[in-house]
Amino acid sequence: MIDKCVFGIFSGIGGIELGMAKGGFYSVALCEIDKAAKHVLETKFPGIKVFDDVRAIKKVPEGTKIITAGFPCQDLSSSGKKSGISGEQSFLIDEVFRLLSNSKNIDWVILENVKFMLHLNKGSAMDYITNEFEKLGYNWAYRVVNTESFGLPQRRHRVIFIASKCFDPRRVLFVDDAKESPNKNSSSDEVPRGFYWTEGRYSTGMAHNSIPPLKAGSTIGIPSPPAILFPDGAVGTPSILDAERLQGFPENWTKPSEDIMRPSHRWKLIGNSVSVPIFHWVSHRINKPLDYDGTHDPALTDSKWPNAAWSIKKIRKQSMVSEWPKNEEFIGLNKFLKYPVKPLSFKAATGYLSRAKSGNLNHPDGFISKLEEYTNNI
């Protein structure tokens, strides 16, 4: 029987823990330094000890069999500092290794972070993480997973990394493969289009009937939820309630944070969080693993980190699985949104248009003209 005791490090607002709980796992303790996020955890997981600094934890709580860690991504994100795994935030992954080195009975370690970590500084973050796990005697597997795979209209790519000394992580992470996105509206003009209104010159984040990944906002705490251009020409940003739903949380999950922080801080909490259904899926597969045949998987080369790979007894190979483990019924933005959007301001819309016109990015037919018409009518 699988032991279901989970210790969540860098828990944020509890997305991994909520997903694991849906699979019958329960948290023995949590850890989160952000005061607002910690307050959400204390509200949503009553009676569970919540540490506020992983560096002060001497050992994992008694009974822990699974450690989860959505460790800080600020230094690894394409929109962050790009200082890498040794940055002032992301280096905290070392605290996971410190705790593991003093623990003998951990069955699983589950990490989550941004896809850009595979490429930043030639993948040095992955070099470091995989080498450290192997030094501690762990087998590992990772896979880039797209939130759209679980039916949510958010094109969000995240690396899901699973390690174990006693189990084969491939039997959890690779055995489900839908091979294609459930979002079939990639070329339709009759569906909403999500985009980053804060960009436009070098990237757009364009997503059809979906939004690009929710972000934490600016370094000074200004929210920057993605914009949505609707077929009728309206342009707006989703409400915080729909943003929570886009990550798989119940509405108002982050509402308790308003007890100690301004309401806009909820956007940071949601942007920094994980997509809950991914970890419901992971918990299901830990409960019911399936056989994986890696016999014909190609050897992992030193040139770059692919979207999926594994190491068993330090033999490293690439897996050819896709970013879509599941093909759940996709509910596009045209049907998903429950609450009115906030109209995009004239300044934001014209700023995007200015950057788009000075750059050389391709936009869908009619996109720029519709956005111009919108600004003319504000």
Side-chain angles (χ1 to χ4, degrees):
M1 180 178 177
I2 296 173
D3 199 306
K4 295 179 180 286
C5 300
V6 180
F7 176 32
I9 305 173
F10 314 116
S11 295
I13 56 173
I16 295 179
E17 293 76 13
L18 179 59
M20 297 294 288
K22 290 177 180 290
F25 294 80
Y26 58 92
S27 298
V28 294
L30 305 167
C31 182
E32 175 55 46
I33 200 167
D34 183 287
K35 292 181 180 179
K38 185 172 183 281
H39 186 59
V40 172
L41 292 175
E42 290 169 336
T43 304
K44 299 298 183 179
F45 297 88
I48 304 300
K49 171 68 175 177
V50 184
F51 298 95
D52 60 7
D53 191 342
V54 66
R55 294 167 293 187
I57 300 173
K58 302 302 181 183
K59 61 180 181 178
V60 300
E62 186 175 353
T64 298
K65 289 295 184 179
I66 301 174
I67 291 179
T68 62
F71 67 99
C73 67
Q74 292 93 326
D75 303 308
L76 302 172
S77 171
S78 60
S79 59
K81 299 177 181 179
K82 302 184 180 69
S83 51
I85 196 67
S86 61
E88 62 184 21
Q89 296 294 322
S90 294
F91 88 97
L92 289 170
I93 186 64
D94 279 345
E95 297 300 318
V96 175
F97 298 130
R98 175 181 64 81
L99 293 170
L100 287 174
S101 66
N102 296 320
S103 305
K104 297 181 179 180
N105 299 312
I106 305 301
D107 288 342
W108 298 95
V109 183
I110 304 171
L111 307 181
E112 182 268 357
N113 216 292
V114 294
K115 179 182 178 180
F116 194 64
M117 70 181 291
L118 300 178
H119 314 296
L120 179 63
N121 298 332
K122 298 182 179 180
S124 61
M126 289 299 294
D127 291 338
Y128 181 75
I129 291 170
T130 54
N131 288 337
E132 290 300 306
F133 270 109
E134 289 180 7
K135 288 178 185 178
L136 292 171
Y138 282 81
N139 298 317
W140 56 260
Y142 77 83
R143 179 180 188 175
V144 173
V145 175
N146 190 333
T147 294
E148 284 190 344
S149 183
F150 297 88
L152 294 173
Q154 181 186 182
R155 193 192 63 231
R156 187 182 188 91
H157 297 92
R158 289 297 184 268
V159 174
I160 310 302
F161 186 104
I162 301 180
S164 179
K165 287 183 177 180
C166 47
F167 299 107
D168 185 344
R170 300 174 302 175
R171 300 183 67 200
V172 173
L173 208 50
F174 297 155
V175 293
D176 296 303
D177 193 14
K179 299 186 183 302
E180 62 178 14
S181 173
N183 183 359
K184 307 302 182 183
N185 295 290
S186 60
S187 60
S188 173
D189 293 330
E190 301 304 319
V191 297
R193 292 189 175 110
F195 66 102
Y196 289 133
W197 61 267
T198 53
E199 301 184 18
R201 183 174 289 113
Y202 304 112
S203 65
T204 65
M206 194 68 61
H208 298 270
N209 214 9
S210 188
I211 61 166
L214 291 162
K215 296 182 179 181
S218 73
T219 56
I220 58 174
I222 299 174
S224 55
I228 303 168
L229 172 63
F230 294 89
D232 64 2
V235 185
T237 57
S239 73
I240 188 65
L241 299 178
D242 275 331
E244 290 170 325
R245 296 175 59 239
L246 283 160
Q247 286 281 55
F249 288 96
E251 296 170 24
N252 275 317
W253 182 266
T254 58
K255 181 70 173 176
S257 68
E258 294 186 14
D259 293 342
I260 58 175
M261 290 290 287
R262 61 188 183 278
S264 61
H265 189 72
R266 294 171 66 180
W267 285 102
K268 179 179 180 180
L269 300 181
I270 286 295
N272 277 339
S273 189
V274 304
S275 298
V276 175
I278 292 176
F279 295 94
H280 184 196
W281 162 65
V282 168
S283 71
H284 171 70
R285 275 289 161 248
I286 288 178
N287 283 324
K288 297 182 178 180
L290 298 176
D291 290 337
Y292 176 79
D293 183 4
T295 305
H296 301 293
D297 285 352
L300 188 62
T301 67
D302 295 330
S303 59
K304 65 178 182 178
W305 289 97
N307 281 354
W310 55 267
S311 172
I312 303 295
K313 296 181 179 179
K314 297 185 179 181
I315 296 175
R316 296 184 173 190
K317 291 192 175 184
Q318 176 180 354
S319 177
M320 306 311 292
V321 293
S322 72
E323 65 189 55
W324 301 290
K326 305 293 285 183
N327 197 342
E328 296 188 7
E329 181 183 0
F330 185 79
I331 303 175
L333 288 176
N334 56 339
K335 296 181 180 179
F336 183 89
L337 298 176
K338 289 177 59 176
Y339 298 94
V341 299
K342 178 182 178 181
L344 192 66
S345 70
F346 177 81
K347 181 179 180 180
T350 54
Y352 179 89
L353 282 171
S354 175
R355 292 187 295 274
K357 290 177 180 178
S358 66
N360 58 1
L361 296 174
N362 292 323
H363 288 77
D365 291 343
F367 182 89
I368 294 297
S369 60
K370 277 190 175 181
L371 196 55
E372 287 176 327
E373 184 178 354
Y374 173 78
T375 61
N376 291 334
N377 293 329
I378 294 179

